Amino acid sequence: MRMPEEPWSYGLFIPHDPRAVGVVRATIRHILRAARLDCIVDTAELLVSELVTNAYRNTTTDAYVSMDWEPSPSDFRVTVWDSGDGLPQPVAANAEDEGGRGLTLVESYSDTWGVHDYTDKDAGVTGKAVWFTLNPPTALPHQLG
């Protein structure tokens, strides 16, 4: 597998609409396949859908998704920015719970993840950016093409 040699970034403004999750999934799939990063497509789709779903469920405003590639070291970062207050934390969901596993999935399947708080109570501003990274496996010399 040959990885992209130059850094790149894509951004996607998403309305507060339940269809946004599918649009973001399709977009990230297309971008990663075009960049020949097929090895992380499924994981990236799963994790971004969890973060966009959280943004939709916990806010009433639009959100923004950024997708950034850094070739050295190989690092794909997705960030979902929303206007929600409070910082999300993974929770231990019970077997019968219908939700509550999203951030646990992000924590388990990403290489790193985190939250940046952009709240400024004096200015009346709330917001955060939840992000994760995926590091594609390094190709063996005989796999380079």
Side-chain angles (χ1 to χ4, degrees):
M1 173 184 65
R2 173 169 242 135
M3 292 195 223
E5 297 175 2
E6 299 294 325
W8 47 258
S9 296
Y10 287 88
L12 187 61
F13 174 80
I14 54 173
H16 189 260
D17 182 323
R19 295 172 291 191
V21 175
V23 170
V24 173
R25 285 177 65 111
T27 302
I28 204 167
R29 179 183 334 112
H30 182 76
I31 290 168
L32 290 174
R33 286 195 175 143
R36 303 174 101 195
L37 291 168
D38 298 68
C39 60
I40 61 171
V41 168
D42 293 338
T43 304
E45 274 191 77
L46 171 67
L47 301 185
V48 76
S49 67
E50 295 296 335
L51 297 186
V52 172
T53 298
N54 284 351
Y56 175 76
R57 287 184 176 165
N58 297 302
T59 67
T60 58
T61 60
D62 303 330
Y64 184 80
V65 178
S66 63
M67 298 157 271
D68 305 289
W69 169 254
E70 284 295 329
S72 183
S74 299
D75 179 70
F76 180 66
R77 177 184 290 254
V78 175
T79 307
V80 177
W81 309 73
D82 69 48
S83 62
D85 57 352
L87 301 179
Q89 295 291 323
V91 297
N94 294 317
E96 62 275 357
D97 291 343
E98 291 185 19
R101 293 173 184 82
L103 286 178
T104 300
L105 289 171
V106 172
E107 183 177 56
S108 297
Y109 288 103
S110 66
D111 289 296
T112 58
W113 80 282
V115 181
H116 295 289
D117 184 6
Y118 292 102
T119 299
D120 183 347
K121 294 188 184 208
D122 293 334
V125 175
T126 61
K128 65 185 165 303
V130 184
W131 57 270
F132 67 85
T133 63
L134 296 173
N135 308 118
T138 304
L140 298 173
H142 70 276
Q143 294 173 318
L144 295 175

